[in-house]
Amino acid sequence: MHSAVFLIEFGAIILGLGLLGRLAGRFSFSPIPLYLLAGLAFGKGGLLPFGASEEFVAIGAEIGVILLLLMLGLEYTASDLVSNLKTQYPAGLVDFALNALPGAAAALLLGWGPVAAVVLAGVTWVSSSGVIAKVLGDLGRLGNRETPAILSILVLEDLAMAVYLPIITALLAGVGFAAGSATLAIALGVAGFVLFVALRYGRLISRFVSSDDPEKLLLVVLGLTLLVAGVAQQLQVSAAVGAFLVGIALSGEVAEGAHILLSPLRDLFAAVFFVFFGLHTDPSSIPPVILPALALAVVTALTKIATGYWAARRAGIGVKGRWRAGGTLVARGEFSIVIAGLAVSAGVQPELGPFATAYVLVLVVIGPLTARFTEPVAAYATRRRGAPTPPAAEDGTVLPGAEPATGSTAGPVGADGDGADVVEGRDAAGRV
């Protein structure tokens, strides 16, 4: 009888996720908020609480986090990461200052204490790579000149997570300074070792994993990822970081093949993860925190726009491209929920889970809107002020004493149709 109830519940969850994903696709927005709302509806205090399938959903949610990070790692090579770290670290520092500090300040103002402040700093800091990648594809901006600046911010955030997650894990576990320092040292050592091996022996690793048979490739990559994630967790390093490092170590045809094979699994288990987070959030606990969550969402949406604008300006992108870069970075999603989920599991602050849910729901909904409309709104505001159009050279560089008026340089018109250049040397997935 128990197994029958489990099958009914879990089947209903998967079917419901499929229908919600189809609904989101019809209106061209991310399904993440719908998944979270579904979890709220069927969790504690919801309309129809589930019970029999909860343990299985918890395991599926953990696999979902691992696959999210693996797929993220497959997007980059070790050389890409090292290059971005060397050239774009100022943008990463600005990103941290403008977006992590407001979250920490909000937690302290709410009286939640220093550990919750570190957690909420991570929630507000990291943009959603999944949502942003989808938005860039939907808007036809993968080849725009500002896209490398956006990807650089995302890469630096991913690298920072390799350090941040072990720190937050140690803090949530309540270990002492010595144990926490040892955990961080192990995490940095493991990350550095994997990057070194990936740079030096990445081709050999990829050749070992490679297979012309999709079934064998899937089994080897998935098995290796889960194994490394488990070992990382045993070493007090986040399983998610272990999965991310596996993705970095794989490159070339292996990475492309694994990406194609694992994408459906990633989407399935990631959806289960978002539902699981919602299942453990009581809907009645959201109204008391909705106003501060909304206020923080507005503040950090503006700071993300400022971050993208600054990073694109530093990269020599014109004004339109700067606004597009800023608006694209607004969305928060999977990483924010992962971080909040760790805190909820550790029982740090009861209000943190509902607060993070409301915060992510707001920004994952308005993120695609800011990506689409920040630049035209900024252009309209500029025209309303009657600002003169500054001169620019034919190649799009700024003339002395002036700033470029557009986000374009001379060259082919991009897919967004406003003169944004298509970046040479980028593949169909938008990777550099």
Side-chain angles (χ1 to χ4, degrees):
M1 184 65 180
H2 179 79
S3 62
V5 174
F6 162 76
L7 291 174
I8 292 171
E9 288 187 358
F10 193 65
I13 290 174
I14 300 301
L15 176 61
L17 291 176
L19 295 176
L20 290 175
R22 183 180 296 180
L23 177 64
R26 178 167 296 181
F27 293 97
S28 299
F29 69 92
S30 170
I32 292 176
L34 297 183
Y35 295 156
L36 288 172
L37 290 173
L40 290 173
F42 297 107
K44 300 173 182 178
L47 300 175
L48 183 63
F50 283 166
S53 59
E54 185 171 338
E55 184 176 351
F56 187 83
V57 171
I59 296 172
E62 190 167 355
I63 294 175
V65 174
I66 290 171
L67 291 179
L68 278 170
L69 272 293
L70 169 66
M71 300 295 283
L72 201 58
L74 289 174
E75 296 291 334
Y76 313 114
T77 65
S79 58
D80 288 338
L81 292 179
V82 172
S83 174
N84 273 285
L85 193 60
K86 288 181 178 178
T87 60
Q88 302 294 339
Y89 71 90
L93 294 176
V94 170
D95 183 32
F96 171 79
L98 291 183
N99 298 288
L101 296 183
L108 294 176
L109 289 174
L110 290 169
W112 290 352
V115 174
V118 176
V119 172
L120 197 55
V123 170
T124 59
W125 177 12
V126 185
S127 298
S128 171
S129 299
V131 174
I132 290 171
K134 188 178 188 317
V135 167
L136 288 173
D138 291 344
L139 297 179
R141 296 181 182 174
L142 289 173
N144 282 18
R145 287 196 67 227
E146 73 272 7
T147 299
I150 296 170
L151 295 179
S152 294
I153 294 289
L154 298 179
V155 170
L156 289 168
E157 288 178 349
D158 298 338
L159 279 174
M161 287 299 101
V163 178
Y164 173 84
L165 287 177
I167 293 175
I168 199 65
T169 302
L171 286 174
L172 293 174
V175 299
F177 176 78
S181 300
T183 299
L184 179 57
I186 292 172
L188 292 176
V190 170
F193 175 74
V194 171
L195 285 176
F196 171 78
V197 171
L199 281 169
R200 197 74 178 267
Y201 307 106
R203 291 185 179 180
L204 293 177
I205 296 172
S206 297
R207 192 179 305 165
F208 169 76
V209 174
S210 179
S211 174
D212 294 331
D213 188 336
E215 178 185 350
K216 295 174 184 175
L217 178 62
L218 174 63
L219 291 174
V220 171
V221 173
L222 185 58
L224 178 64
T225 302
L226 294 175
L227 177 63
V228 172
V231 171
Q233 196 151 305
Q234 282 292 108
L235 295 173
Q236 301 301 312
V237 180
S238 170
V241 172
F244 178 64
L245 294 174
V246 170
I248 292 171
L250 302 178
S251 60
E253 293 182 2
V254 172
E256 294 176 9
H259 196 282
I260 294 171
L261 293 171
L262 288 169
S263 289
L265 282 177
R266 185 271 314 270
D267 294 339
L268 168 62
F269 285 106
V272 171
F273 164 71
F274 291 119
V275 169
F276 177 74
F277 187 83
L279 287 173
H280 284 74
T281 303
D282 188 344
S284 63
S285 63
I286 290 182
V289 298
I290 188 64
L291 288 180
L294 181 61
L296 184 60
V298 171
V299 170
T300 53
L302 295 175
T303 56
K304 271 294 182 184
I305 292 173
T307 299
Y309 188 98
W310 187 89
R313 180 178 181 177
R314 182 174 179 271
I317 309 301
V319 174
K320 284 189 176 182
R322 298 174 198 172
W323 286 117
R324 285 195 298 267
T328 303
L329 286 169
V330 166
R332 310 311 201 271
E334 58 275 9
F335 249 136
S336 298
I337 296 297
V338 168
I339 294 165
L342 292 174
V344 170
S345 299
V348 170
Q349 181 67 38
E351 293 90 350
L352 190 55
F355 187 95
T357 301
Y359 175 82
V360 170
L361 279 172
V362 171
L363 289 183
V364 82
V365 170
I366 71 170
L369 299 178
T370 59
R372 187 185 297 267
F373 296 114
T374 296
E375 182 264 314
V377 168
Y380 175 77
T382 301
R383 289 195 300 269
R384 291 281 293 180
R385 289 200 306 266
T389 302
E394 289 186 2
D395 63 353
T397 55
V398 185
L399 294 179
E403 289 211 0
T406 69
S408 64
T409 61
V413 176
D416 55 353
D418 66 357
D421 272 4
V422 175
V423 177
E424 299 292 337
R426 300 180 63 83
D427 62 14
R431 292 190 286 264
V432 177

